[in-house]
Structure formats: C-alpha cells, structure tokens
Amino acid sequence: MQKLIKYEKKCSTEDKKKIPEIIDIEFLDKKRRPLSMVGGFVQLEPLTIVRVTFSIPITTALFFQFPTGVDTFEFTQLISAIRPVDDRVVEFRWEVPPALLAFFFVIGCTNSICRRSEEIGVFLPE
C-alpha cells in the first residue's frame, strides 16, 4: 500500500503580514471613468485601464483572462505582467480584443508570496 504525504507549509505571523491583499480592482475608460456592469459582467472599452490596489507594496502583478464556459487552466491567457515601482497601486492599459467574453483575475506577489483575486466577468461587444 502506497502512503501519500501531504506537504503543508505553515505561515508564520511575519509571513502573513507579507501576503498582499487585493483591496480594489477598477476598470476605467481612457478618461478614467468607471466602466458599467451589465448582467454581472464589466462592459469594457477597446482601451481599458485596469487599476488594482493592494494592502502592501508588491513586486509583481500578473493579469489573466480565460474564456467563459471552460474550467481548465489550459485556456488561461496572461494579459500583462507588471513590476510596480514600490507602490500599492498598479495600473495597466489593456487593449481588449473585440468580441471578448471572459473571466479576468489578477495575482499580486510580494517576492514569492502571492494572492489571487476572485474572477470578474468582462466583455467587449463586437
């Protein structure tokens, strides 16, 4: 009989202070106005500014999308990777592909400690 060993690293109190919490994710038009929600999805503009606020300064922010209707990681696409300049707020300009219907998420990392956001439905009509 084969024995399975589960590896689990316990975070110290000091490590927990280094976990970046995602405070806010904003989708803005080129004039920096918030974009509308339609049926639970954010209606994007062809050029959308995504602004993410973290609880602590991060070293890297990764932005991803995957199409609706799939549950496998293989369809996930990296949209952008940003190394902020010692700040808690990260922005990137997303040139959104036409007829997009997807879920969006961000991962913020402080060195090797990362946190993933919830998935947000996004779309851009044709």
Side-chain angles (χ1 to χ4, degrees):
M1 187 161 144
Q2 196 173 19
K3 192 174 189 179
L4 297 176
I5 299 172
K6 181 180 177 186
Y7 175 76
E8 183 178 310
K9 180 182 176 191
K10 300 288 184 189
C11 286
S12 68
T13 304
E14 193 58 37
D15 283 343
K16 287 181 183 177
K17 292 177 187 175
K18 296 177 186 175
I19 299 172
E21 299 288 334
I22 297 162
I23 305 296
D24 193 25
I25 300 174
E26 299 171 275
F27 295 89
L28 310 168
D29 66 14
K30 59 186 170 188
K31 293 182 180 177
R32 300 192 168 277
R33 295 178 297 212
L35 297 177
S36 302
M37 293 284 289
V38 177
F41 280 65
V42 178
Q43 183 171 350
L44 303 175
E45 294 284 325
L47 177 62
T48 296
I49 298 167
V50 180
R51 182 183 344 179
V52 184
T53 305
F54 294 91
S55 59
I56 60 175
I58 62 165
T59 54
T60 307
L62 304 165
F63 300 90
F64 295 91
Q65 72 173 24
F66 65 93
T68 59
V70 297
D71 291 332
T72 59
F73 186 77
E74 68 184 278
F75 296 107
T76 301
Q77 289 182 309
L78 176 66
I79 303 167
S80 183
I82 297 175
R83 292 191 176 271
V85 183
D86 193 36
D87 203 358
R88 297 179 319 112
V89 178
V90 177
E91 281 190 6
F92 89 97
R93 297 168 65 87
W94 184 11
E95 292 184 26
V96 182
L100 176 76
L101 179 59
F103 289 104
F104 171 93
F105 66 93
V106 62
I107 296 175
C109 299
T110 300
N111 299 317
S112 62
I113 301 174
C114 301
R115 168 71 42 96
R116 180 186 189 274
S117 74
E118 296 292 321
E119 297 160 1
I120 300 168
V122 295
F123 75 101
L124 178 65
E126 290 186 50

